[in-house]
Each structure stands twice: as C-alpha cells, then as structure tokens.
Amino acid sequence: MSQRASVAVGRGNIEWRVSFFNIHMNFSLFYKTERAPDYYDARKLLENWFSIIFTGEEFVVTNFKVRGNYPQSSVYKRVHVKQMSQSYVCKAIVKATSLEMQEVLSLRIEQLLNDTYEEGPLSLYVKPEDVAVKPIALMDCPQSFSHTTYKGNYSWPLTSPATEAEVSCRKNPLQSAQRSCAISIELEQAFWKKPNMTECKLLEELPNNILDLHNITITEDNAQDVVQHILYLLPDATLHMEELEIITSKISDIAGVADMTVTLAETILSILNYMLLQEIDDQNIRKMTNSILGTTEEIGYKVTYTERNTSVITTSLALLVTSPDPSVFGGLAFGVTSYNRGMDLKIDVQENPFKNALASVFLPKSLKKFLGIEHSDPDKHSKIQFKFFGMTSLFADDSLKKERLNTYVVGASIEHASIQNLNEPVTITLQHVDRNTGNAAVHCVFWDFEKNNGLGGWNTSGCEMEYTDMNYTICFCNHLTHFGVLLDLSRTQTDITHDRILTLLSYAGCGASSLFLGITLVTYLALEKLRRDNPSKILLNLCAALLMLNMVFLTNSWLSSFNQPGLCITVAVLLHYFLLAAFTWMCLESVHFYLALVKVFNVYVPKYILKCCVAGWGIPAIVITIVLIINKDFYGNGSHSEGNPFSNFCWIQENIVFYISVVAYVFVIFLTNTAMFITVLLQIHSVKSRTQKRSRIWKRGFLQDLKSAFSLMFLLGLTWGFVFFAWGAVRIFFLYLFSIFNTLQGFFIFVFHCLMKEEVVKQCRVHFCWGRCHLNNSDWSGSGGTAGSTPRRLNHTSPSQRLWSLNSNGTSTTFNGSNFLPKTSPDGNSRIAEVHYNPSAVPPDDGETKQPCSRRILPMDTDRTIHREQDFFTDTEFVFF
C-alpha cells in the first residue's frame, strides 16, 4: 500500500476518511497538595482529560507519552499564595475518522486542546501557542510470518495502524493468536508488536515429570506453558537435588528470554513460594540461593506495567516494583503490613517511614541521583525493587556457628545501579520472629553473594544496629541488598542478671583502675629519681596505655548514644588502638625481663627506650591504619537495649576483623608473655637453688616468691587468659574472674609498684610528707647514696627483707635492692650489680645517666665475674616490682 495521510472507509453510501495526527503540547500542572505531583499524576490527569474532550469515534488517542519539562520546572514557581506549578511535555497520536479535510481536523483538535481541566487539587492548563498539531502519513504493517518451534507457524496479514490482527491457533483453532500494529510516537511509524500466543496450545505435550523437562528449550512462545506445567507438577515432585536444579534453570531461562507479563511473574513466584514453604533441609540447595535471588530480581525489573508501581504477591514471597519520578523523589518506604505464615501477606509503599510494619525499608532522598534524574524521558528512569521473604530457608549460612536468623528477610535494589557507601543510610526495620527475651546480642547483616566461596552468606559490613528491643531491630546500612538480623546465640548463655552484674563490675573496676593508674603516673612523673631507669619508663608507658583504654571504655556508651556514625567510628578506633597498645607494652615488659634476667650479657641496644616507644605505640597504629584503609565501616555501633543502657557500644562490627586484629593479636602476646613468665620464674628458681642450699625461713621465702609471681602476672597481663577458659559449665565463673582481675589491673599495678615498693615509699615520704614522717638524714643517706658511695654489706640473717629488682639504663642488667636493712645503700648494691652485669652500661649518646663505678668486663674477668654473680645472688632475694 502506498504512503498516504488518510484512508477511505466505506460506511453505507458515505466515504469516511481515517487520518492520523501527531500532537506536541506543553502544559502546566497546578497543585495545592503538600506533595508535589509526579509523572504518574500528570499522566493520569492528562488521560482523564483526553477521555473527556475526545468522545465518540471521531477522535481516538491511540497512545501518548508524557515527560517532565525540567528546565522550566526544576524550581517550582509560586503562582498563587498556596498553589505551585510544574511544566510537562506531551506527545500523542490521534486517530480521526471523519468526512472533513485534514486542515479542518487539525484546527478542531487545537481548539479542543486549548482548555483548562481541573480534577481535585490538580488542574491542567494549556496555552494556544503551546499546541502543535500536524497530520502524519503512516504505512500499514506489512504481511508477516512467525515461526515458532512449539506452537507452529503463523501468517499475519496486511494490517492498518492502531489495529489488531487475529489468526487461529494451530493446535486449538477455536482460539486465536493476536498481534497489534502499533504506532511509534518518536519515529511516527507503524510497526508490528510481538505476537500474543497465550491462548494457543503447544503442538506436543510437555513431559509428566520435572526431570524430563531438562531437554525442553525455553522460548518466548512456550515460556508461559512451561512455568504453568512446573507449577502443576510440583505437588507430586520429590524436589531432590536434580529436580531443584532443573526448576531453577528453567526459571532462569524464562526470565532471560521472555517478556515478563504480570501473569508470568506471578506464576514464577508461585513456584518459588512453594519451594520455600517446603523448607527443604538440603545443603545442596545453598548452591542455588544466589541464582534464585538473581532471577527474582531480573523478573522484577522486566515485568511490564503502566502504573506507578506493581506488585506480585504469593503466600510467603512478595515483590514490588516502582518507577518513581526523580524530580520529586523525597524518599520512599516499602513495608509488609500483614503476614501470617503462608497466608495473608500485604505489602505497601509510601513516602514516609512505616510506624507499624513487620518489615520495612526506607530509602533516603539522596538516592534520587541513582534514578536517572538527568533524563526527561520516563522510560529511562531506573526502577526500584523491594522483595520480602517470609520463609528464610534460602538464606542458610553454614559459616554461622552461634548465630541464627531471627527476622524475615527484605531486599531492596535500584535498576542499573550498585549502591555503596551512602552518606545517608538506608533504614531497615525488622520484627523478630522470636522475641529476644534473653537480651542476646543482635547483628544487622546483609546477604553477601561472594561469601563462602560464592555460595553466599551473611555479612555485617556497612550495616550497624541503631536500636533493638525484644520485638524489633532497626538497622542503618550504607548500601542496598537483602537484609536480616542475626541473633548471637553465643551470648545467650549469659542471662540478663549476670550480664548486668558483669557490666557493673567492669565499669566499677575500670573506674578504680583509672584512679590508681593516674596516681601511679603522677607519682613516677613527680619523682625524678623513680623514673630514671628503663623498667620505670616502660611501666609509665604501660600505665598510660591502660589509663587511656579505661577512659575510652568508660565513656564509650555515653558517646555512642549521640548516634553520630563518625564519632562512633572514632571512639571504636581509639578503643581498639589503646587495647592493642596496652598489650604491646605488656609484651615489651616481658621482653625486657627476658633480656635482663636470662640473656644478661651482650644485649646492649642503643636508644633502647626510643625503640620501645616506636614499637609500643607504632605497631598498634599500623594495625588500625590497615583496618581503616580496607573499610572504615568495620567499626560501628553495637547492640542496644532499653533494658541495658550500657549495651550501646562502639566497637568492631566485622567478626573476621575482630578475630584477626584483636583475638589473634592478644593471643600471640598472651603466649609470648606466658613463655617469658615461665622462663623468668625458672631462672629465679635456678639461681636461688644454686645460691641458697638451705633456708631456715623457707615459708617466708616461698611467700615472697609467690608475691613476685603475682606481681609479674598482672604486669604482663596474664589474667586476660581467663577469657580463653570461659566456655561450657564454667563460663560464668571465668567471666567473673576475667571482669574482676582485668578491670582492676591498674589497681594491682599501683599496689605492687607503688604501695609495696620500698624505694617508692621512701621517695614519697621524703617529697610529700612533713614533720615526723619525714626521713632523717641518716635514713636518707642509706637509701639515696651517691653514685660513688660504697655499699654496705648485706645482712645474711634477714634474707626476707632483701629484694631484687630490675633497674637498667640499657638492656644490660643492673640490680637495685629495694628492701634493705637500715643504713644499707640500695644504690651501692646497684653499683655492685652493674659491675657484674652491665658491661656496657649506657653510652653517652643515649642521653641517660652514666654510673661512674661502671666498667666493662674483659674476657679475662669472666671467671671472676661468675664468682661475684654467685656471691651476689647468695645475698639477695627475688621479688619483682
């Protein structure tokens, strides 16, 4: 047929002409609503207006398209006091069947469109100069032939634009296949749409079992039939691994090749719903979880609809898809308002967060940049998809040992966009399946497709718990995917009573430790004589790290209550840093003991304290920096409960990061310190067994050794080992020991290194006391002799009053008696020890005090030195302070 602008149609003796007109029109949409109208409001209003002005058979709008006129409407213009407006552009194709000429028809159409239309709070206004009507010449859709493998071949006749052709089905001729000759608004051409063969039966019947469907190739013409057949066969299927694989494979193929009608989508989701309701307990089904989730998402984005949103709902699985107008997007909430196991599932969408919903997701306004706001054509706007899984058998994670999923699963995604690291988080609210009456810890998680070698699993990264109680948990996540809440079963062993007691013990102990650590620091910093040696300097750094650790711990809950993610991350980082620093300095203490006692000779290290500081403060900083570089969201807010105000806590949220950067780090240092502790005790025992054959006061010596071991144990942090025994029936007992001894570590350091250390007591009496408590000259002359004073001989009859301690200025060992009899010079004994055990002492470039009586031990002096060592150990006892 030749190209023409009109077609003559005979009706009786009158010859009617069919013409087509292209309409291009700008119109303004006024509104008096709180919410700005979107594209769908404008489209619906325009559709109602067209149905009013174009009545009867003379004018018919075959199709039309509306898009926002963003340059004019990006800023809403105030027309009246409470009325705003937006500008839109409309293109439409009008079919006119009339006796009149095209010029007359064009003029009539323009006059009809020059009008105002009002519907409720919305009104539409078109100016005469904003309407353009022109006739278009369309060719008929040519004769066409369709070849289908499963439903036969079909020949489509020459068909006029905006009409539909029908052809009888091959297998069931009483039914027909349809194919529309549509008109493209943009190209102004007629074209064939895909044929609709839904009513036609397959030429050959499908097999009567699911396994035989393996050889059926999915095409557009048999997709609906195959899905319906699978649904029909499901009640009699065993749903073993092979059948599940075939079902999953066919569903995936259908989603890939077929146009997704709402009916087809409903059938596919009904199949998945049936599988979920069976709660198949098969480890192999985990291999199909990611495939099923991906297919479900593909179905949602391919399903065809013309309204603002569409939903596909089954008894335990629901899918809702919407395509919002980015220009007016201010946030969107999806919620499941009703659900009973396997029935009565209701899903809804609204602009504000849900106050009462079993599961909901609120997407913030900032997501509008992912919706294609740069495009004025609505077809190029991205869709948003929301999914709800009432049955969670798909989401099994074998890597979880002591946690279980305690909520329904919801998912949200945006078409053609990967949403990560949002500044404004997505809010997920989930109701607990089982009430959390035991105050167990909860974790906000998302389904990580890459976890467990590609099988998928739960991951906490990027999600933090904002609020939780017995019934609900609110999560903040900086990305979009499938969300859920894990209940940490490992903490359910501690009931709420023990949890409160342990919490109060921890806070009371940390408060007391902070006070006594502060006193220890002030004492050593105020008395210059006490901090001259290296052990004291190491002790000062350890006390500083422990003090900061306690202070951050005590203020953690208060700071996390501000709900500022940046502040919470900072607090968690500081807590992590000072915890690692404290353990690093404990390790340096043990290394120093080893160098001073076991490896005595030839261990001089230049700038020893400087290198210790670099290691003690630098190694933890490196660990923290690595964690922050990988992902700062590894740090975040922990669980919160109204019943336990201290449970809101900023700490490491990712389990793997916690086990590597904390547990492994602490465990290595704990093993190191334990080995050093045992080695030092064996060294003391060996020396004393060689120097003291018999002791008349062995009980007092035993108690003194026990006190030494107890002091070392706290200094090296060995009480942290209680946590490794907190399992099973003795878990509560060891948790109490852990809380008491570790939170009071600062108190015990004060007792052993200030209160019970004679040198510290004497210095405090000299500098801080007055009157009768002030030492007389004779007393002080015995305890604070000059570097060159001559030591007095030790009293062999009172070994319990003689103590041994480390007092080195390098790593080479010197000994300083801190419990001498009256008028015995501790510094004098220090000089004796230094002559024997500090061959290199401290070089001038170390900036530390040189001992005038020190000298290097030459090889020829070795034998003499060994004898002096034996004499010295005979006159001393070993107590560590």
Side-chain angles (χ1 to χ4, degrees):
M1 180 175 291
S2 61
Q3 188 177 17
R4 65 190 188 280
S6 62
V7 180
V9 179
R11 291 187 181 180
N13 296 325
I14 302 175
E15 186 175 328
W16 297 81
R17 294 183 179 87
V18 178
S19 304
F20 294 92
F21 296 88
N22 185 314
I23 299 174
H24 188 281
M25 175 181 66
N26 293 333
F27 67 95
S28 297
L29 180 64
F30 297 95
Y31 59 95
K32 301 177 182 178
T33 58
E34 294 181 2
R35 177 184 68 84
D38 59 9
Y39 154 79
Y40 295 98
D41 294 318
R43 190 178 185 278
K44 186 64 177 178
L45 187 68
L46 197 64
E47 183 181 12
N48 294 340
W49 184 47
F50 282 160
S51 65
I52 293 174
I53 63 176
F54 297 127
T55 57
E57 296 183 0
E58 185 176 15
F59 297 109
V60 176
V61 178
T62 62
N63 54 335
F64 69 97
K65 192 172 185 178
V66 178
R67 63 176 176 83
N69 193 5
Y70 292 156
Q72 300 181 32
S73 62
S74 58
V75 179
Y76 303 146
K77 297 174 289 185
R78 187 173 295 276
V79 179
H80 300 296
V81 177
K82 294 183 178 180
Q83 192 170 10
M84 308 289 284
S85 72
Q86 286 180 298
S87 179
Y88 289 93
V89 176
C90 173
K91 286 185 178 182
I93 301 294
V94 175
K95 178 182 178 181
T97 306
S98 176
L99 297 173
E100 297 176 345
M101 301 298 292
Q102 289 185 350
E103 292 78 6
V104 177
L105 293 174
S106 297
L107 182 60
R108 287 182 58 192
I109 292 173
E110 288 183 5
Q111 290 174 346
L112 290 172
L113 294 174
N114 182 18
D115 197 1
T116 300
Y117 174 69
E118 186 172 347
E119 186 178 283
L122 303 177
S123 58
L124 180 151
Y125 175 67
V126 181
K127 297 179 181 179
E129 62 271 20
D130 288 338
V131 179
V133 180
K134 68 173 184 177
I136 56 175
L138 298 175
M139 296 182 63
D140 294 340
C141 291
Q143 186 177 3
S144 179
F145 182 81
S146 297
H147 170 75
T148 64
T149 303
Y150 295 96
K151 293 191 175 183
N153 301 325
Y154 296 85
S155 179
W156 306 100
L158 189 71
T159 305
S160 300
T163 56
E164 186 176 75
E166 290 189 4
V167 178
S168 296
C169 295
R170 293 292 175 263
K171 183 72 178 290
N172 49 326
L174 295 179
Q175 302 295 331
S176 61
Q178 302 86 28
R179 194 175 188 185
S180 296
C181 180
I183 304 172
S184 170
I185 294 179
E186 302 296 338
L187 300 177
E188 298 182 359
Q189 294 178 359
F191 68 95
W192 280 114
K193 298 182 73 173
K194 291 182 179 181
N196 179 10
M197 302 180 185
T198 306
E199 300 297 327
C200 298
K201 294 182 179 180
L202 298 175
L203 298 178
E204 296 182 5
E205 298 292 335
L206 293 172
N208 289 326
N209 62 80
I210 292 177
L211 292 177
D212 291 338
L213 290 174
H214 177 72
N215 297 322
I216 301 298
T217 303
I218 300 298
T219 62
E220 292 184 0
D221 52 297
N222 73 345
Q224 181 69 47
D225 297 272
V226 172
V227 171
Q228 290 284 2
H229 193 65
I230 292 174
L231 189 61
Y232 170 76
L233 294 175
L234 277 178
D236 298 325
T238 56
L239 293 183
H240 290 157
M241 186 61 191
E242 286 186 76
E243 291 181 306
L244 291 173
E245 287 181 344
I246 291 174
I247 293 173
T248 305
S249 174
K250 296 307 173 184
I251 290 176
S252 178
D253 293 341
I254 291 169
V257 303
D259 287 338
M260 194 59 57
T261 62
V262 174
T263 302
L264 182 57
E266 287 176 345
T267 309
I268 294 176
L269 261 64
S270 296
I271 294 174
L272 297 177
N273 176 69
Y274 182 89
M275 294 168 58
L276 293 177
L277 288 175
Q278 302 309 304
E279 296 187 278
I280 304 169
D281 188 15
D282 190 339
Q283 295 297 325
N284 292 324
I285 198 174
R286 289 205 54 213
K287 299 178 181 179
M288 296 175 286
T289 297
N290 287 352
S291 176
I292 292 174
L293 295 178
T295 300
T296 307
E297 185 163 299
E298 186 176 4
I299 291 171
Y301 289 133
K302 289 190 67 175
V303 68
T304 55
Y305 61 98
T306 57
E307 299 299 324
R308 181 181 284 105
N309 54 66
T310 187
S311 60
V312 182
I313 300 175
T314 65
T315 55
S316 65
L317 175 63
L319 181 150
L320 188 147
V321 184
T322 183
S323 182
D325 186 346
S327 64
V328 296
F329 183 81
L332 203 61
F334 303 89
V336 176
T337 56
S338 176
Y339 174 70
N340 291 320
R341 180 183 172 90
M343 60 184 295
D344 193 27
L345 198 162
K346 295 181 181 179
I347 190 172
D348 198 6
V349 59
Q350 62 187 38
E351 294 181 348
N352 299 316
F354 284 85
K355 294 183 178 179
N356 295 301
L358 301 178
S360 66
V361 176
F362 178 72
L363 307 180
K365 181 179 179 181
S366 59
L367 288 176
K368 67 188 304 180
K369 64 182 179 181
F370 297 100
L371 300 177
I373 191 172
E374 67 277 9
H375 301 294
S376 60
D377 187 352
D379 293 338
K380 296 182 179 180
H381 294 163
S382 296
K383 299 176 183 178
I384 300 176
Q385 184 175 164
F386 172 78
K387 295 185 288 293
F388 170 79
F389 296 85
M391 305 299 296
T392 58
S393 54
L394 272 179
F395 302 93
D397 186 352
D398 295 335
S399 65
L400 299 179
K401 303 302 181 183
K402 298 177 181 178
E403 297 88 6
R404 65 178 177 87
L405 189 62
N406 193 40
T407 63
Y408 307 113
V409 176
V410 294
S413 59
I414 297 179
E415 188 179 18
H416 308 311
S418 177
I419 311 301
Q420 302 287 338
N421 301 319
L422 293 173
N423 293 327
E424 189 177 1
V426 176
T427 303
I428 303 99
T429 303
L430 297 170
Q431 185 184 54
H432 298 160
V433 176
D434 298 320
R435 298 179 69 189
N436 186 14
T437 55
N439 195 34
V442 297
H443 305 286
C444 294
V445 292
F446 73 96
W447 187 257
D448 186 350
F449 284 78
E450 302 299 325
K451 196 174 179 181
N452 297 321
N453 298 319
L455 294 179
W458 293 111
N459 192 339
T460 60
S461 179
C463 289
E464 61 181 33
M465 195 272 301
E466 170 64 14
Y467 170 82
T468 188
D469 57 23
M470 290 189 298
N471 300 312
Y472 282 89
T473 293
I474 300 176
C475 303
F476 283 172
C477 294
N478 64 5
H479 52 80
L480 288 182
T481 182
H482 300 84
F483 303 100
V485 172
L486 294 180
L487 186 69
D488 188 353
L489 297 180
S490 66
R491 301 184 186 180
T492 57
Q493 301 294 329
T494 307
D495 59 32
I496 189 169
T497 303
H498 288 300
D499 186 60
R500 288 178 178 273
I501 296 174
L502 289 170
T503 301
L504 292 175
L505 282 175
S506 297
Y507 276 84
C510 286
S513 277
S514 299
L515 174 63
F516 288 106
L517 284 170
I519 295 174
T520 303
L521 282 171
V522 169
T523 301
Y524 275 80
L525 290 174
L527 303 176
E528 189 272 338
K529 186 177 179 60
L530 296 180
R531 64 175 188 273
R532 288 178 179 174
D533 53 15
N534 288 340
S536 297
K537 294 175 181 177
I538 295 176
L539 177 65
L540 284 174
N541 282 277
L542 173 60
C543 290
L546 288 173
L547 177 61
M548 294 305 301
L549 174 64
N550 286 325
M551 296 303 295
V552 175
F553 176 82
L554 290 172
T555 58
N556 194 313
S557 293
W558 173 64
L559 292 173
S560 65
S561 66
F562 289 100
N563 295 324
Q564 298 293 329
L567 177 62
C568 193
I569 290 174
T570 302
V571 173
V573 167
L574 289 176
L575 185 64
H576 190 190
Y577 174 75
F578 287 116
L579 176 65
L580 299 185
F583 271 95
T584 307
W585 279 107
M586 293 177 200
C587 184
L588 292 174
E589 283 274 16
S590 68
V591 171
H592 182 78
F593 279 126
Y594 175 78
L595 294 177
L597 270 179
V598 180
K599 194 174 179 64
V600 177
F601 298 103
N602 301 321
V603 290
Y604 168 71
V605 178
K607 298 190 180 300
Y608 178 62
I609 288 299
L610 177 61
K611 292 179 179 179
C612 286
C613 289
V614 171
W617 301 110
I619 294 176
I622 294 174
V623 175
I624 301 299
T625 303
I626 292 174
V627 175
L628 289 173
I629 290 174
I630 295 174
N631 190 349
K632 65 179 179 62
D633 293 321
F634 286 150
Y635 298 101
N637 203 342
S639 62
H640 173 72
S641 170
E642 288 182 336
N644 187 358
F646 302 114
S647 62
N648 199 27
F649 203 76
C650 297
W651 185 228
I652 300 171
Q653 302 301 304
E654 178 62 37
N655 288 337
I656 296 178
V657 176
F658 171 75
Y659 287 123
I660 294 176
S661 66
V662 176
V663 176
Y665 192 96
V666 170
F667 186 70
V668 170
I669 290 179
F670 175 78
L671 290 181
T672 302
N673 288 4
T674 302
M676 297 296 183
F677 175 74
I678 296 173
T679 303
V680 168
L681 291 185
L682 290 176
Q683 178 72 4
I684 294 173
H685 177 74
S686 174
V687 172
K688 292 184 68 175
S689 64
R690 287 187 287 114
T691 58
Q692 297 181 359
K693 301 298 181 182
R694 287 188 177 182
S695 176
R696 298 178 182 177
I697 49 175
W698 64 272
K699 290 184 178 181
R700 182 176 298 179
F702 173 77
L703 293 176
Q704 199 79 335
D705 291 345
L706 184 63
K707 185 171 65 174
S708 303
F710 207 56
S711 170
L712 262 183
M713 186 170 63
F714 281 102
L715 193 64
L716 302 183
L718 300 186
T719 54
W720 287 78
F722 287 131
V723 76
F724 297 114
F725 300 96
W727 300 94
V730 296
R731 182 173 186 268
I732 299 299
F733 173 72
F734 278 101
L735 282 179
Y736 275 99
L737 291 180
F738 178 82
S739 298
I740 293 172
F741 283 101
N742 285 330
T743 55
L744 290 175
Q745 186 177 9
F747 168 74
F748 287 112
I749 287 177
F750 167 78
V751 170
F752 288 113
H753 295 272
C754 283
L755 203 60
M756 298 179 64
K757 191 169 183 179
E758 186 67 22
E759 180 70 10
V760 177
V761 173
K762 288 183 178 180
Q763 289 284 340
C764 290
R765 291 173 63 188
V766 170
H767 291 86
F768 299 146
C769 295
W770 302 93
R772 285 183 293 178
C773 68
H774 198 290
L775 287 175
N776 57 36
N777 290 336
S778 60
D779 289 336
W780 177 239
S781 64
S783 62
T786 63
S789 61
T790 304
R792 299 177 185 270
R793 183 172 178 79
L794 295 175
N795 191 339
H796 292 273
T797 61
S798 302
S800 63
Q801 299 180 11
R802 294 185 295 274
L803 306 175
W804 176 89
S805 70
L806 291 174
N807 184 15
S808 66
N809 288 324
T811 58
S812 302
T813 310
T814 64
F815 300 91
N816 178 23
S818 58
N819 249 0
F820 291 94
L821 293 176
K823 298 185 179 181
T824 301
S825 172
D827 284 347
N829 286 282
S830 175
R831 304 305 172 264
I832 296 173
E834 185 169 278
V835 170
H836 286 276
Y837 293 99
N838 194 4
S840 57
V842 180
D845 61 345
D846 214 15
E848 299 174 354
T849 306
K850 288 184 62 177
Q851 302 293 350
C853 62
S854 301
R855 70 176 178 86
R856 294 187 178 272
I857 299 180
L858 301 176
M860 68 184 72
D861 298 330
T862 303
D863 295 336
R864 217 175 341 168
T865 303
I866 294 175
H867 290 298
R868 291 182 180 179
E869 175 190 358
Q870 294 174 350
D871 292 340
F872 180 79
F873 278 113
T874 304
D875 292 333
T876 58
E877 292 191 18
F878 305 92
V879 180
F880 295 93
F881 289 125

